[in-house]
Amino acid sequence: MQRLVVFVALSAACGGGGDAKPPDAIASCPVAPIAVTGEGTYYAADGTGSCSFEASSDHMVAALDAADYDHAAWCGACLAVTGPMGTIMVRVVDQCPGCAHGDLDLSKEAFAAIAPLSAGRVPISWGLVECDVQGPISYQFKDGSNAYWTAIQIRNHRYPIAKVEAKDATGAYQAIDRADYNYFVAASGLGPGPYALRVTDTRGHTVEDPAIALGDAVARPGSSQFPVCP
């Protein structure tokens, strides 16, 4: 069962504060508990959206306000959301351009678990939690990826992704830029592969995979999963 222990990506000692600052930096200091407050609304969500995930039968998902979405930094993050009727867990799959800071646009299913749909808009509080994932992270190559243009998305991760790097010809890791649609895109490609990749989450954990083969729109399992923060 998912542990609803609320975290922020950055504690005050790491330069974070008491808001929903996107997890775009690696945390190496103690985790500070916090609850972000805002309003919850709902929409007809199926798991797709700005984060470029596929539709899913699990509709416990949410869209984050556009400012905090911040170039897909929160994509795939799991949030514990508390409303008038209780607490649920949702996964960030989209951005909500009309939402204010702290607001979440929830799927109908998620909203109905914390408030009557007839309410339409309710006060909520929320925070980052670990995703209850099974197995290793996976690498999803975007359709059209090749040796000269390579786009990789990380899926099935416990915490939000801070950085993806690939080894170059000298054996040094080089960071790959993240696009707003939640793929890490090497505009000049990474060569024919296989690729030595290093993925870092926002808690500072890393997973290294020495030989991920290029696959057009194919997910490749990694070697391990990020550990659980105490």
Side-chain angles (χ1 to χ4, degrees), residues 24-58:
D24 57 359
I26 299 168
S28 58
C29 54
V31 179
I34 195 170
V36 180
T37 59
E39 293 187 323
T41 52
Y42 68 87
Y43 71 113
D46 63 1
T48 61
S50 299
C51 292
S52 301
F53 297 132
E54 296 169 354
S56 169
S57 59
D58 178 8

PDB file of all heavy atoms in Angstrom, residues 24-58:
ATOM      1  N   ASP A  24      13.226  20.638  -9.916  1.00  0.00           N
ATOM      2  CA  ASP A  24      14.154  20.698 -11.033  1.00  0.00           C
ATOM      3  C   ASP A  24      15.603  20.713 -10.581  1.00  0.00           C
ATOM      4  O   ASP A  24      16.503  20.923 -11.364  1.00  0.00           O
ATOM      5  CB  ASP A  24      13.867  21.926 -11.904  1.00  0.00           C
ATOM      6  CG  ASP A  24      13.925  23.228 -11.110  1.00  0.00           C
ATOM      7  OD1 ASP A  24      14.175  23.168  -9.896  1.00  0.00           O
ATOM      8  OD2 ASP A  24      13.720  24.288 -11.720  1.00  0.00           O
ATOM      9  N   ALA A  25      15.837  20.488  -9.301  1.00  0.00           N
ATOM     10  CA  ALA A  25      17.199  20.413  -8.786  1.00  0.00           C
ATOM     11  C   ALA A  25      17.329  19.177  -7.917  1.00  0.00           C
ATOM     12  O   ALA A  25      16.346  18.665  -7.394  1.00  0.00           O
ATOM     13  CB  ALA A  25      17.533  21.665  -7.978  1.00  0.00           C
ATOM     14  N   ILE A  26      18.535  18.696  -7.776  1.00  0.00           N
ATOM     15  CA  ILE A  26      18.760  17.464  -7.034  1.00  0.00           C
ATOM     16  C   ILE A  26      18.851  17.773  -5.551  1.00  0.00           C
ATOM     17  O   ILE A  26      19.621  18.615  -5.123  1.00  0.00           O
ATOM     18  CB  ILE A  26      20.049  16.783  -7.518  1.00  0.00           C
ATOM     19  CG1 ILE A  26      19.919  16.440  -9.002  1.00  0.00           C
ATOM     20  CG2 ILE A  26      20.354  15.538  -6.717  1.00  0.00           C
ATOM     21  CD1 ILE A  26      21.220  16.034  -9.636  1.00  0.00           C
ATOM     22  N   ALA A  27      18.058  17.092  -4.753  1.00  0.00           N
ATOM     23  CA  ALA A  27      18.057  17.303  -3.312  1.00  0.00           C
ATOM     24  C   ALA A  27      19.061  16.376  -2.655  1.00  0.00           C
ATOM     25  O   ALA A  27      19.101  15.196  -2.921  1.00  0.00           O
ATOM     26  CB  ALA A  27      16.664  17.043  -2.749  1.00  0.00           C
ATOM     27  N   SER A  28      19.894  16.930  -1.788  1.00  0.00           N
ATOM     28  CA  SER A  28      20.871  16.121  -1.087  1.00  0.00           C
ATOM     29  C   SER A  28      20.840  16.399   0.405  1.00  0.00           C
ATOM     30  O   SER A  28      21.755  16.057   1.124  1.00  0.00           O
ATOM     31  CB  SER A  28      22.288  16.403  -1.617  1.00  0.00           C
ATOM     32  OG  SER A  28      22.593  17.777  -1.482  1.00  0.00           O
ATOM     33  N   CYS A  29      19.786  17.064   0.859  1.00  0.00           N
ATOM     34  CA  CYS A  29      19.639  17.418   2.259  1.00  0.00           C
ATOM     35  C   CYS A  29      18.349  16.805   2.796  1.00  0.00           C
ATOM     36  O   CYS A  29      17.572  16.228   2.040  1.00  0.00           O
ATOM     37  CB  CYS A  29      19.638  18.936   2.398  1.00  0.00           C
ATOM     38  SG  CYS A  29      18.422  19.740   1.355  1.00  0.00           S
ATOM     39  N   PRO A  30      18.070  16.928   4.096  1.00  0.00           N
ATOM     40  CA  PRO A  30      16.871  16.300   4.658  1.00  0.00           C
ATOM     41  C   PRO A  30      15.593  16.774   3.979  1.00  0.00           C
ATOM     42  O   PRO A  30      15.485  17.915   3.534  1.00  0.00           O
ATOM     43  CB  PRO A  30      16.916  16.744   6.124  1.00  0.00           C
ATOM     44  CG  PRO A  30      18.351  17.008   6.395  1.00  0.00           C
ATOM     45  CD  PRO A  30      18.907  17.563   5.113  1.00  0.00           C
ATOM     46  N   VAL A  31      14.628  15.888   3.928  1.00  0.00           N
ATOM     47  CA  VAL A  31      13.345  16.189   3.310  1.00  0.00           C
ATOM     48  C   VAL A  31      12.469  16.926   4.307  1.00  0.00           C
ATOM     49  O   VAL A  31      12.383  16.555   5.461  1.00  0.00           O
ATOM     50  CB  VAL A  31      12.649  14.889   2.864  1.00  0.00           C
ATOM     51  CG1 VAL A  31      11.298  15.189   2.242  1.00  0.00           C
ATOM     52  CG2 VAL A  31      13.538  14.128   1.904  1.00  0.00           C
ATOM     53  N   ALA A  32      11.819  17.987   3.862  1.00  0.00           N
ATOM     54  CA  ALA A  32      10.956  18.771   4.738  1.00  0.00           C
ATOM     55  C   ALA A  32       9.492  18.515   4.399  1.00  0.00           C
ATOM     56  O   ALA A  32       9.101  18.653   3.252  1.00  0.00           O
ATOM     57  CB  ALA A  32      11.270  20.256   4.582  1.00  0.00           C
ATOM     58  N   PRO A  33       8.677  18.125   5.387  1.00  0.00           N
ATOM     59  CA  PRO A  33       7.253  17.929   5.111  1.00  0.00           C
ATOM     60  C   PRO A  33       6.562  19.256   4.845  1.00  0.00           C
ATOM     61  O   PRO A  33       6.902  20.271   5.425  1.00  0.00           O
ATOM     62  CB  PRO A  33       6.733  17.273   6.392  1.00  0.00           C
ATOM     63  CG  PRO A  33       7.676  17.713   7.449  1.00  0.00           C
ATOM     64  CD  PRO A  33       9.018  17.834   6.773  1.00  0.00           C
ATOM     65  N   ILE A  34       5.584  19.232   3.965  1.00  0.00           N
ATOM     66  CA  ILE A  34       4.861  20.459   3.612  1.00  0.00           C
ATOM     67  C   ILE A  34       3.546  20.073   2.951  1.00  0.00           C
ATOM     68  O   ILE A  34       3.412  18.980   2.405  1.00  0.00           O
ATOM     69  CB  ILE A  34       5.690  21.343   2.659  1.00  0.00           C
ATOM     70  CG1 ILE A  34       5.112  22.750   2.603  1.00  0.00           C
ATOM     71  CG2 ILE A  34       5.770  20.758   1.263  1.00  0.00           C
ATOM     72  CD1 ILE A  34       5.984  23.745   1.888  1.00  0.00           C
ATOM     73  N   ALA A  35       2.585  20.953   3.001  1.00  0.00           N
ATOM     74  CA  ALA A  35       1.352  20.788   2.249  1.00  0.00           C
ATOM     75  C   ALA A  35       1.110  22.059   1.448  1.00  0.00           C
ATOM     76  O   ALA A  35       1.129  23.153   1.990  1.00  0.00           O
ATOM     77  CB  ALA A  35       0.180  20.518   3.189  1.00  0.00           C
ATOM     78  N   VAL A  36       0.928  21.917   0.150  1.00  0.00           N
ATOM     79  CA  VAL A  36       0.587  23.028  -0.724  1.00  0.00           C
ATOM     80  C   VAL A  36      -0.929  23.148  -0.734  1.00  0.00           C
ATOM     81  O   VAL A  36      -1.639  22.143  -0.786  1.00  0.00           O
ATOM     82  CB  VAL A  36       1.117  22.776  -2.149  1.00  0.00           C
ATOM     83  CG1 VAL A  36       0.766  23.931  -3.071  1.00  0.00           C
ATOM     84  CG2 VAL A  36       2.612  22.539  -2.125  1.00  0.00           C
ATOM     85  N   THR A  37      -1.435  24.357  -0.694  1.00  0.00           N
ATOM     86  CA  THR A  37      -2.883  24.553  -0.692  1.00  0.00           C
ATOM     87  C   THR A  37      -3.332  25.221  -1.976  1.00  0.00           C
ATOM     88  O   THR A  37      -2.591  25.969  -2.610  1.00  0.00           O
ATOM     89  CB  THR A  37      -3.322  25.409   0.506  1.00  0.00           C
ATOM     90  OG1 THR A  37      -2.662  26.678   0.455  1.00  0.00           O
ATOM     91  CG2 THR A  37      -2.983  24.724   1.822  1.00  0.00           C
ATOM     92  N   GLY A  38      -4.558  24.913  -2.358  1.00  0.00           N
ATOM     93  CA  GLY A  38      -5.125  25.493  -3.565  1.00  0.00           C
ATOM     94  C   GLY A  38      -6.555  25.021  -3.728  1.00  0.00           C
ATOM     95  O   GLY A  38      -7.224  24.669  -2.750  1.00  0.00           O
ATOM     96  N   GLU A  39      -7.014  24.987  -4.973  1.00  0.00           N
ATOM     97  CA  GLU A  39      -8.363  24.529  -5.273  1.00  0.00           C
ATOM     98  C   GLU A  39      -8.309  23.369  -6.250  1.00  0.00           C
ATOM     99  O   GLU A  39      -7.440  23.322  -7.132  1.00  0.00           O
ATOM    100  CB  GLU A  39      -9.206  25.661  -5.858  1.00  0.00           C
ATOM    101  CG  GLU A  39      -9.492  26.780  -4.875  1.00  0.00           C
ATOM    102  CD  GLU A  39     -10.465  27.801  -5.435  1.00  0.00           C
ATOM    103  OE1 GLU A  39     -10.388  28.090  -6.652  1.00  0.00           O
ATOM    104  OE2 GLU A  39     -11.305  28.294  -4.660  1.00  0.00           O
ATOM    105  N   GLY A  40      -9.223  22.437  -6.079  1.00  0.00           N
ATOM    106  CA  GLY A  40      -9.323  21.297  -6.970  1.00  0.00           C
ATOM    107  C   GLY A  40     -10.543  21.407  -7.858  1.00  0.00           C
ATOM    108  O   GLY A  40     -11.632  21.755  -7.400  1.00  0.00           O
ATOM    109  N   THR A  41     -10.348  21.114  -9.144  1.00  0.00           N
ATOM    110  CA  THR A  41     -11.433  21.029 -10.108  1.00  0.00           C
ATOM    111  C   THR A  41     -11.301  19.675 -10.801  1.00  0.00           C
ATOM    112  O   THR A  41     -10.472  18.852 -10.422  1.00  0.00           O
ATOM    113  CB  THR A  41     -11.350  22.178 -11.132  1.00  0.00           C
ATOM    114  OG1 THR A  41     -10.016  22.199 -11.692  1.00  0.00           O
ATOM    115  CG2 THR A  41     -11.624  23.523 -10.468  1.00  0.00           C
ATOM    116  N   TYR A  42     -12.101  19.429 -11.830  1.00  0.00           N
ATOM    117  CA  TYR A  42     -11.974  18.143 -12.525  1.00  0.00           C
ATOM    118  C   TYR A  42     -12.217  18.286 -14.020  1.00  0.00           C
ATOM    119  O   TYR A  42     -12.824  19.250 -14.481  1.00  0.00           O
ATOM    120  CB  TYR A  42     -12.910  17.095 -11.911  1.00  0.00           C
ATOM    121  CG  TYR A  42     -14.392  17.329 -12.103  1.00  0.00           C
ATOM    122  CD1 TYR A  42     -15.054  16.878 -13.246  1.00  0.00           C
ATOM    123  CD2 TYR A  42     -15.140  17.985 -11.125  1.00  0.00           C
ATOM    124  CE1 TYR A  42     -16.412  17.076 -13.416  1.00  0.00           C
ATOM    125  CE2 TYR A  42     -16.503  18.182 -11.273  1.00  0.00           C
ATOM    126  CZ  TYR A  42     -17.131  17.727 -12.424  1.00  0.00           C
ATOM    127  OH  TYR A  42     -18.478  17.933 -12.594  1.00  0.00           O
ATOM    128  N   TYR A  43     -11.690  17.292 -14.751  1.00  0.00           N
ATOM    129  CA  TYR A  43     -11.883  17.229 -16.198  1.00  0.00           C
ATOM    130  C   TYR A  43     -11.927  15.770 -16.620  1.00  0.00           C
ATOM    131  O   TYR A  43     -11.640  14.873 -15.813  1.00  0.00           O
ATOM    132  CB  TYR A  43     -10.786  17.987 -16.940  1.00  0.00           C
ATOM    133  CG  TYR A  43      -9.400  17.353 -16.933  1.00  0.00           C
ATOM    134  CD1 TYR A  43      -8.821  16.863 -18.100  1.00  0.00           C
ATOM    135  CD2 TYR A  43      -8.660  17.253 -15.747  1.00  0.00           C
ATOM    136  CE1 TYR A  43      -7.545  16.302 -18.103  1.00  0.00           C
ATOM    137  CE2 TYR A  43      -7.389  16.692 -15.736  1.00  0.00           C
ATOM    138  CZ  TYR A  43      -6.840  16.218 -16.910  1.00  0.00           C
ATOM    139  OH  TYR A  43      -5.581  15.655 -16.908  1.00  0.00           O
ATOM    140  N   ALA A  44     -12.277  15.518 -17.866  1.00  0.00           N
ATOM    141  CA  ALA A  44     -12.367  14.148 -18.378  1.00  0.00           C
ATOM    142  C   ALA A  44     -10.969  13.680 -18.763  1.00  0.00           C
ATOM    143  O   ALA A  44     -10.530  13.860 -19.904  1.00  0.00           O
ATOM    144  CB  ALA A  44     -13.312  14.082 -19.572  1.00  0.00           C
ATOM    145  N   ALA A  45     -10.254  13.083 -17.829  1.00  0.00           N
ATOM    146  CA  ALA A  45      -8.861  12.679 -18.030  1.00  0.00           C
ATOM    147  C   ALA A  45      -8.773  11.187 -18.313  1.00  0.00           C
ATOM    148  O   ALA A  45      -9.523  10.392 -17.747  1.00  0.00           O
ATOM    149  CB  ALA A  45      -8.037  13.019 -16.791  1.00  0.00           C
ATOM    150  N   ASP A  46      -7.830  10.821 -19.181  1.00  0.00           N
ATOM    151  CA  ASP A  46      -7.597   9.404 -19.473  1.00  0.00           C
ATOM    152  C   ASP A  46      -6.136   9.005 -19.304  1.00  0.00           C
ATOM    153  O   ASP A  46      -5.734   7.905 -19.676  1.00  0.00           O
ATOM    154  CB  ASP A  46      -8.071   9.048 -20.883  1.00  0.00           C
ATOM    155  CG  ASP A  46      -7.299   9.796 -21.973  1.00  0.00           C
ATOM    156  OD1 ASP A  46      -6.383  10.586 -21.638  1.00  0.00           O
ATOM    157  OD2 ASP A  46      -7.613   9.579 -23.162  1.00  0.00           O
ATOM    158  N   GLY A  47      -5.323   9.915 -18.754  1.00  0.00           N
ATOM    159  CA  GLY A  47      -3.899   9.619 -18.555  1.00  0.00           C
ATOM    160  C   GLY A  47      -2.990  10.266 -19.576  1.00  0.00           C
ATOM    161  O   GLY A  47      -1.778  10.297 -19.395  1.00  0.00           O
ATOM    162  N   THR A  48      -3.566  10.764 -20.676  1.00  0.00           N
ATOM    163  CA  THR A  48      -2.770  11.448 -21.687  1.00  0.00           C
ATOM    164  C   THR A  48      -2.673  12.932 -21.329  1.00  0.00           C
ATOM    165  O   THR A  48      -3.321  13.407 -20.400  1.00  0.00           O
ATOM    166  CB  THR A  48      -3.376  11.291 -23.084  1.00  0.00           C
ATOM    167  OG1 THR A  48      -4.697  11.876 -23.086  1.00  0.00           O
ATOM    168  CG2 THR A  48      -3.491   9.822 -23.456  1.00  0.00           C
ATOM    169  N   GLY A  49      -1.864  13.666 -22.076  1.00  0.00           N
ATOM    170  CA  GLY A  49      -1.738  15.092 -21.832  1.00  0.00           C
ATOM    171  C   GLY A  49      -0.358  15.599 -22.186  1.00  0.00           C
ATOM    172  O   GLY A  49       0.386  14.951 -22.935  1.00  0.00           O
ATOM    173  N   SER A  50       0.017  16.737 -21.631  1.00  0.00           N
ATOM    174  CA  SER A  50       1.281  17.389 -21.967  1.00  0.00           C
ATOM    175  C   SER A  50       2.498  16.544 -21.636  1.00  0.00           C
ATOM    176  O   SER A  50       3.570  16.748 -22.214  1.00  0.00           O
ATOM    177  CB  SER A  50       1.387  18.732 -21.243  1.00  0.00           C
ATOM    178  OG  SER A  50       0.356  19.603 -21.636  1.00  0.00           O
ATOM    179  N   CYS A  51       2.369  15.617 -20.692  1.00  0.00           N
ATOM    180  CA  CYS A  51       3.504  14.775 -20.301  1.00  0.00           C
ATOM    181  C   CYS A  51       3.772  13.639 -21.287  1.00  0.00           C
ATOM    182  O   CYS A  51       4.743  12.884 -21.118  1.00  0.00           O
ATOM    183  CB  CYS A  51       3.283  14.197 -18.908  1.00  0.00           C
ATOM    184  SG  CYS A  51       3.323  15.427 -17.583  1.00  0.00           S
ATOM    185  N   SER A  52       2.909  13.494 -22.284  1.00  0.00           N
ATOM    186  CA  SER A  52       3.103  12.492 -23.357  1.00  0.00           C
ATOM    187  C   SER A  52       3.026  11.050 -22.874  1.00  0.00           C
ATOM    188  O   SER A  52       3.629  10.155 -23.470  1.00  0.00           O
ATOM    189  CB  SER A  52       4.433  12.719 -24.079  1.00  0.00           C
ATOM    190  OG  SER A  52       4.492  14.002 -24.641  1.00  0.00           O
ATOM    191  N   PHE A  53       2.281  10.810 -21.795  1.00  0.00           N
ATOM    192  CA  PHE A  53       2.032   9.438 -21.385  1.00  0.00           C
ATOM    193  C   PHE A  53       0.868   8.873 -22.193  1.00  0.00           C
ATOM    194  O   PHE A  53       0.058   9.614 -22.750  1.00  0.00           O
ATOM    195  CB  PHE A  53       1.708   9.355 -19.887  1.00  0.00           C
ATOM    196  CG  PHE A  53       2.831   9.798 -18.990  1.00  0.00           C
ATOM    197  CD1 PHE A  53       2.609  10.675 -17.944  1.00  0.00           C
ATOM    198  CD2 PHE A  53       4.123   9.335 -19.198  1.00  0.00           C
ATOM    199  CE1 PHE A  53       3.633  11.079 -17.107  1.00  0.00           C
ATOM    200  CE2 PHE A  53       5.168   9.738 -18.375  1.00  0.00           C
ATOM    201  CZ  PHE A  53       4.915  10.609 -17.326  1.00  0.00           C
ATOM    202  N   GLU A  54       0.766   7.554 -22.205  1.00  0.00           N
ATOM    203  CA  GLU A  54      -0.322   6.911 -22.925  1.00  0.00           C
ATOM    204  C   GLU A  54      -1.572   6.842 -22.056  1.00  0.00           C
ATOM    205  O   GLU A  54      -1.508   6.953 -20.828  1.00  0.00           O
ATOM    206  CB  GLU A  54       0.113   5.501 -23.338  1.00  0.00           C
ATOM    207  CG  GLU A  54       1.280   5.495 -24.311  1.00  0.00           C
ATOM    208  CD  GLU A  54       1.860   4.102 -24.506  1.00  0.00           C
ATOM    209  OE1 GLU A  54       1.418   3.174 -23.802  1.00  0.00           O
ATOM    210  OE2 GLU A  54       2.752   3.957 -25.350  1.00  0.00           O
ATOM    211  N   ALA A  55      -2.727   6.669 -22.706  1.00  0.00           N
ATOM    212  CA  ALA A  55      -3.973   6.491 -21.970  1.00  0.00           C
ATOM    213  C   ALA A  55      -3.868   5.263 -21.084  1.00  0.00           C
ATOM    214  O   ALA A  55      -3.204   4.281 -21.423  1.00  0.00           O
ATOM    215  CB  ALA A  55      -5.140   6.341 -22.941  1.00  0.00           C
ATOM    216  N   SER A  56      -4.511   5.330 -19.942  1.00  0.00           N
ATOM    217  CA  SER A  56      -4.412   4.259 -18.959  1.00  0.00           C
ATOM    218  C   SER A  56      -5.782   3.971 -18.361  1.00  0.00           C
ATOM    219  O   SER A  56      -6.643   4.865 -18.282  1.00  0.00           O
ATOM    220  CB  SER A  56      -3.427   4.656 -17.852  1.00  0.00           C
ATOM    221  OG  SER A  56      -3.485   3.760 -16.762  1.00  0.00           O
ATOM    222  N   SER A  57      -5.981   2.745 -17.936  1.00  0.00           N
ATOM    223  CA  SER A  57      -7.224   2.391 -17.254  1.00  0.00           C
ATOM    224  C   SER A  57      -7.271   2.993 -15.856  1.00  0.00           C
ATOM    225  O   SER A  57      -8.341   3.124 -15.257  1.00  0.00           O
ATOM    226  CB  SER A  57      -7.372   0.871 -17.176  1.00  0.00           C
ATOM    227  OG  SER A  57      -6.272   0.301 -16.485  1.00  0.00           O
ATOM    228  N   ASP A  58      -6.119   3.351 -15.321  1.00  0.00           N
ATOM    229  CA  ASP A  58      -6.049   4.018 -14.024  1.00  0.00           C
ATOM    230  C   ASP A  58      -6.163   5.526 -14.246  1.00  0.00           C
ATOM    231  O   ASP A  58      -5.243   6.172 -14.713  1.00  0.00           O
ATOM    232  CB  ASP A  58      -4.714   3.686 -13.338  1.00  0.00           C
ATOM    233  CG  ASP A  58      -4.562   4.399 -11.999  1.00  0.00           C
ATOM    234  OD1 ASP A  58      -5.551   5.022 -11.535  1.00  0.00           O
ATOM    235  OD2 ASP A  58      -3.465   4.339 -11.418  1.00  0.00           O
TER     236      ASP A  58
END
